Amino acid sequence: MKRSKIAGMGFYVPERVVKNEELTRLMDTSDEWIRERTGIEERRYGRKHEETTSTMAAIATRIACERAGIEPEEIDFIVFATLSPDYYFPGCGVLVQRELGITHREAGALDIRNQCSGFVYGLSIADQFVRTGMYKNVLVVGSEMHSMGLDFSTRGRNVTVIFGDGAGAAIVQPSEDPERGILTTRLHSDGTYAEKLSFINPGCHGGYHRNRLDEPVDYGYPPADTYGEIFITPKMLQDGLYYPYMDGQFVFKLAVQKFPEVILEALQDAGLQPSDINLLVPHQANLRISQFVQKRLGLRDDQVWNNIQRYGNTTAASIPIALCEAWEAGKVREGDLVCLAAFGSGFTWASALIRW
Ligand code: UT7
């Protein structure tokens, strides 16, 4: 079976730069706190009502297609990863397809909801499709428009200061060289702590899982025998219960454990060592997490790509943005061993090893 490879990449971040200082005017936070705890100095926010998750994805995809030497029309299959879709449904896969003018009926689109590990999961899906010969040009795209759904009051500061907008895309094709391409992908999940990093409203849960949250929450649902149940109740709006939630310390502790674990697993699978890695591109969750992982694996600074300082955490877009940026900077050369790794909400975590 042929291997698959990343034939071209592209990324897009909105023009508007939002420095930490700007956030201090909206909530009780400081540049010092954000830098010290996360490493973030600035992030990008999209143009509201003009840019969306799917329009940003389309820009990144066009660049990826050009670099892969194909027209968007030649894309056979789309894998779209996001937690901030344009619509509740349909998913962004078909929206980016429309945006790109892919009108032939052979194309298919799949939306995946794996948050921070969405891109690596998507890459693994593309890898399976290409290796089996089912598709020749698979688009894997991660895109997020976080700025439309964050709580900009002090109540939401532990989450809001971290996230930024952007998109990254890769075209996955068959590799002609049996030694090069995606060597392995490892995917994991555990729903035990699903609510520890979550965005649960709107949803049909009706409060069912509420005992799983640290503090039971009253969502203001009408009595259970009422028909025409609504996803968003007036109480949710009043109490701001439609924002993301994160138990930061809990997530941090698991992240620093799972990142090295899943990287070592992939290396073992391929019969390689941490020292063989030319470039590690971790999901940009927190600079402190990346530094911890780097130290644990014994990697030098030049073996790890970090850009959270400039873009914040862009969830499903963070790995393709970072990988593409590293490639543009000449940090990914032919024959290099590149490792991608992610951990996030679900919890889900994943890694990929690529011989470039
Ligand atoms: O990408 C998906 C995966 N996500 C992650 O991996 C994120 C993992 N977690 C983290 O990165 C960190 O836990 C955070 C950056 C989210 C938070 O850092 P922390 O060092 O764990 O802070 P904390 O949540 O323990 O909060 C410490 C203090 C609290 O005040 P008190 O209770 O000590 O008085 C918070 O209220 O910092 C306060 N705080 C803030 N202060 C200023 C929380 N957010 C802010 C803020 N500005 N933005």
Side-chain angles (χ1 to χ4, degrees):
M1 223 184 271
K2 270 191 178 175
R3 286 194 194 286
S4 75
K5 65 171 184 186
I6 293 180
M9 295 206 70
F11 82 96
Y12 170 78
V13 287
E15 269 173 40
R16 185 161 170 241
V17 176
V18 177
K19 295 200 172 288
N20 293 342
E21 178 61 31
E22 191 174 332
L23 296 180
T24 66
R25 285 179 243 140
L26 301 168
M27 63 187 83
D28 181 11
T29 188
S30 66
D31 178 44
E32 192 190 11
W33 191 97
I34 302 171
R35 277 178 200 253
E36 265 179 21
R37 309 273 177 146
T38 70
I40 299 166
E41 294 163 24
E42 59 191 42
R43 75 285 294 137
R44 306 293 181 100
Y45 287 171
R47 286 192 309 279
K48 281 199 173 64
H49 319 309
E50 283 179 46
E51 291 184 302
T52 73
T53 295
S54 65
T55 66
M56 293 192 296
I59 299 171
T61 301
R62 285 187 201 284
I63 301 167
C65 284
E66 206 181 312
R67 289 173 175 164
I70 63 163
E71 292 296 326
E73 271 280 303
E74 293 174 70
I75 292 171
D76 304 307
F77 196 77
I78 297 165
V79 185
F80 202 120
T82 186
L83 67 69
S84 50
D86 295 25
Y87 299 144
Y88 196 74
F89 74 82
C92 281
V94 295
L95 300 182
V96 77
Q97 177 182 12
R98 179 172 68 185
E99 197 77 19
L100 292 165
I102 304 171
T103 51
H104 62 88
R105 299 228 175 99
E106 286 75 32
L110 171 73
D111 283 78
I112 55 173
R113 302 184 53 179
N114 282 68
Q115 297 69 247
C116 307
S117 62
F119 183 80
V120 184
Y121 264 75
L123 197 63
S124 183
I125 292 167
D127 181 41
Q128 315 307 317
F129 277 148
V130 170
R131 276 198 291 142
T132 55
M134 185 155 170
Y135 295 118
K136 286 201 164 51
N137 290 305
V138 180
L139 164 66
V140 185
V141 58
S143 181
E144 304 286 1
M145 183 81 171
H146 285 307
S147 61
M148 287 288 279
L150 296 170
D151 181 354
F152 284 93
S153 72
T154 296
R155 181 181 54 196
R157 64 182 179 176
N158 71 318
V159 173
T160 300
V161 300
I162 296 174
F163 293 99
D165 300 344
I171 301 295
V172 180
Q173 290 178 347
S175 170
E176 295 312 318
D177 184 341
E179 303 296 319
R180 297 210 344 232
I182 297 173
L183 303 183
T184 186
T185 54
R186 310 299 303 172
L187 313 177
H188 296 287
S189 65
D190 178 357
T192 310
Y193 304 109
E195 288 80 10
K196 289 286 187 189
L197 175 48
S198 59
F199 193 154
I200 65 174
N201 297 311
C204 72
H205 59 87
Y208 173 76
H209 304 289
R210 106 187 109 195
N211 57 340
R212 308 243 176 198
L213 292 165
D214 294 336
E215 293 166 25
V217 182
D218 176 9
Y219 297 101
Y221 279 107
D225 57 0
T226 312
Y227 287 105
E229 194 78 62
I230 43 174
F231 280 175
I232 291 269
T233 64
K235 187 158 182 16
M236 284 180 198
L237 294 174
Q238 188 189 312
D239 296 353
L241 298 172
Y242 50 91
Y243 288 120
Y245 167 85
M246 174 163 66
D247 180 340
Q249 290 206 6
F250 190 92
V251 179
F252 194 101
K253 283 179 198 147
L254 262 180
V256 294
Q257 181 190 328
K258 295 298 179 192
F259 266 105
E261 230 175 73
V262 78
I263 293 168
L264 290 170
E265 188 188 333
L267 286 168
Q268 193 180 20
D269 204 31
L272 296 162
Q273 308 289 330
S275 55
D276 293 319
I277 294 175
N278 295 98
L279 194 68
L280 169 66
V281 181
H283 161 54
Q284 306 291 299
N286 182 323
L287 190 60
R288 283 160 55 211
I289 294 177
S290 296
Q291 286 166 342
F292 184 94
V293 175
Q294 174 181 340
K295 203 167 159 201
R296 169 84 175 70
L297 296 176
L299 301 177
R300 300 181 307 273
D301 285 354
D302 66 298
Q303 286 172 291
V304 185
W305 189 264
N306 289 305
N307 63 7
I308 191 169
Q309 301 90 327
R310 285 172 285 123
Y311 304 132
N313 179 343
T314 56
T315 311
S318 101
I319 288 183
I321 291 174
L323 178 58
C324 185
E325 201 183 54
W327 177 82
E328 286 178 7
K331 286 286 296 174
V332 182
R333 291 169 296 262
E334 282 194 9
D336 277 358
L337 183 70
V338 177
C339 180
L340 313 179
F343 174 85
S345 165
F347 292 110
T348 62
W349 60 103
S351 62
L353 275 182
I354 306 166
R355 178 69 67 192
W356 208 266

